[in-house]
Amino acid sequence: MNQELQILFPKSISVTIKREDLLHPVVSGNKFRKLKYNLLQAKAENKETLLTFGGAFSNHIAAVAYAAQEQGFRSVGVVRGDELNEKTDSNPTLQFAKECGMQFEFVSREAYRHKTEAVFLEELKAKFGDFYLVPEGGTNALAIKGCQEILTEEDAKFDYICCAVGTGGTISGIINSALSHQKVLGFPALKGNFLQDEIRIFAENDNWELINDYHFGGYAKINEELVRFINQFYKDTKIPLDPVYTGKMVFGVLDLIQKDFFPAHSNILLIHTGGLQGIFGMNERLKNKQLPTITIDV
Ligand SMILES: *Cc1c(COP(=O)(O)O)cnc(C)c1O
């Protein structure tokens, strides 16, 4: 569903947001797109278990747990950080995944780095039985295929398509389905210049650019300015943004409009990839630091 923002922008620029967050109240957006063809493949291979990797607040872990339960798979989450073992009850993401029936394997940060090596995967098979492996963040060729379905015919009228970037899978799908007159802008939620190369693996066109100025210090890093922006945006539009991905991307686009980045009359589409379940965990962290919290009811 596309929703035009009722905000007056300079130079007759218009901004519309694609509400992929509405696919599900909590586990939303691009993670379902990325899982769609992987779930079909797992069924075709007669797998009974999905196994994947992620951090303690990962939208991907939550999405796999939920999708597995819905589609009748068992699920295993290999989670970074062995200190979390006794703390699942105080972590909203892991609590949600657990309620969906996910089993966890907590591993040290050191072991997590070797998660894709054959020895480690064999150990996991010995422990949990055979499984369909969904990569960290869910990005593989089948995920890109799912993300190519985000844009539809009605989106041909937009000049710019903007989306948040984590592993680069979502933007790759969007790049592949964007039309030649459209430019795709990616807003990385983390620091580092490796994403350019990751995206080139899957992207079939050159009509894209990464804007690296709005990661707010790195993955899941946040400051008071961003919290206030998310809260104000919600007040103005009733659209909830998440603190890890979409909040940073929308902040970036609105800032670039003020800085004259876009030509007059640009028609901009923002992809709301979801991620709202991350608000709960982030608010715990903000409270601990005695910073203002995100005041959105999701
Ligand atoms: C995972 C995620 C992204 C990033 O998607 P990638 O395909 O990893 O680049 C963006 N937004 C939200 C809400 C996400 O959960």
Side-chain angles (χ1 to χ4, degrees):
M1 180 193 110
N2 287 353
Q3 180 179 354
E4 188 173 343
L5 296 186
Q6 300 304 317
I7 299 176
L8 223 45
F9 293 104
K11 301 193 295 185
S12 308
I13 287 172
S14 79
V15 180
T16 299
I17 188 158
K18 186 179 280 296
R19 299 292 307 273
E20 293 274 293
D21 56 310
L22 298 176
L23 292 179
H24 181 271
V26 183
V27 184
S28 41
N30 64 336
K31 298 301 186 285
F32 270 140
R33 300 276 185 193
K34 294 171 91 168
L35 283 171
K36 177 179 169 184
Y37 290 105
N38 278 293
L39 293 170
L40 291 173
Q41 184 62 27
K43 284 213 172 122
E45 291 177 18
N46 287 317
K47 303 281 179 163
E48 291 171 3
T49 303
L50 306 178
L51 180 137
T52 197
F53 309 102
F57 297 97
S58 159
N59 294 331
H60 170 67
I61 286 280
V64 169
Y66 183 84
Q69 183 189 42
E70 201 185 48
Q71 305 257 337
F73 293 100
R74 295 199 303 134
S75 67
V76 178
V78 180
V79 179
R80 184 179 56 232
D82 43 8
E83 78 283 359
L84 291 160
N85 221 336
E86 277 112 50
K87 291 201 211 146
T88 54
D89 292 351
S90 61
N91 177 306
T93 303
L94 297 179
Q95 187 56 31
F96 173 80
K98 196 171 163 182
E99 281 162 18
C100 293
M102 183 173 260
Q103 282 179 280
F104 299 120
E105 174 78 358
F106 294 99
V107 299
S108 68
R109 280 163 178 75
E110 167 59 18
Y112 193 83
R113 254 174 256 138
H114 302 287
K115 63 186 177 297
T116 54
E117 290 168 15
V119 182
F120 187 63
L121 294 176
E122 283 310 315
E123 280 171 23
L124 290 169
K125 281 205 173 130
K127 189 157 180 184
F128 296 104
D130 191 26
F131 51 74
Y132 182 85
L133 182 70
V134 184
E136 182 182 40
T139 290
N140 58 15
L142 289 173
I144 312 299
K145 184 175 171 190
C147 291
Q148 287 173 190
E149 297 173 356
I150 292 174
L151 292 182
T152 64
E153 268 172 36
E154 63 165 346
D155 300 326
K157 62 175 180 278
F158 295 105
D159 310 305
Y160 290 91
I161 297 153
C162 304
C163 93
V165 177
T167 61
T170 305
I171 196 174
S172 297
I174 290 171
I175 290 166
N176 292 347
S177 58
L179 303 171
S180 57
H181 70 274
Q182 298 180 314
K183 174 115 194 226
V184 182
L185 301 179
F187 292 76
L190 57 163
K191 265 201 274 197
N193 290 328
F194 59 95
L195 280 170
Q196 200 89 12
D197 299 332
E198 294 286 311
I199 295 168
R200 287 214 182 92
I201 296 173
F202 295 109
E204 294 157 7
N205 299 315
D206 293 329
N207 55 340
W208 57 278
E209 185 184 330
L210 293 184
I211 298 190
N212 282 302
D213 303 329
Y214 298 99
H215 54 63
F216 285 79
Y219 184 73
K221 296 275 194 319
I222 187 169
N223 64 18
E224 211 168 314
E225 186 184 18
L226 185 60
V227 174
R228 291 195 196 288
F229 170 77
I230 289 171
N231 289 341
Q232 189 61 45
F233 189 80
Y234 183 66
K235 260 195 206 140
D236 293 344
T237 65
K238 288 282 157 277
I239 299 171
L241 300 173
D242 84 290
V244 180
Y245 294 103
T246 57
K248 295 179 179 181
M249 180 271 290
V250 177
F251 182 102
V253 174
L254 298 196
D255 192 51
L256 288 176
I257 291 176
Q258 296 308 326
K259 289 179 171 156
D260 256 1
F261 176 91
F262 298 98
H265 305 287
S266 292
N267 207 351
I268 303 171
L269 180 67
L270 312 178
I271 309 297
H272 194 322
T273 38
L276 302 174
Q277 68 88 28
I279 291 174
F280 306 117
M282 184 61 80
N283 273 345
E284 300 285 313
R285 286 169 51 198
L286 289 167
K287 258 185 243 156
N288 290 340
K289 292 188 191 166
Q290 297 182 336
L291 288 171
T293 56
I294 300 165
T295 48
I296 287 176
D297 353 293
V298 282

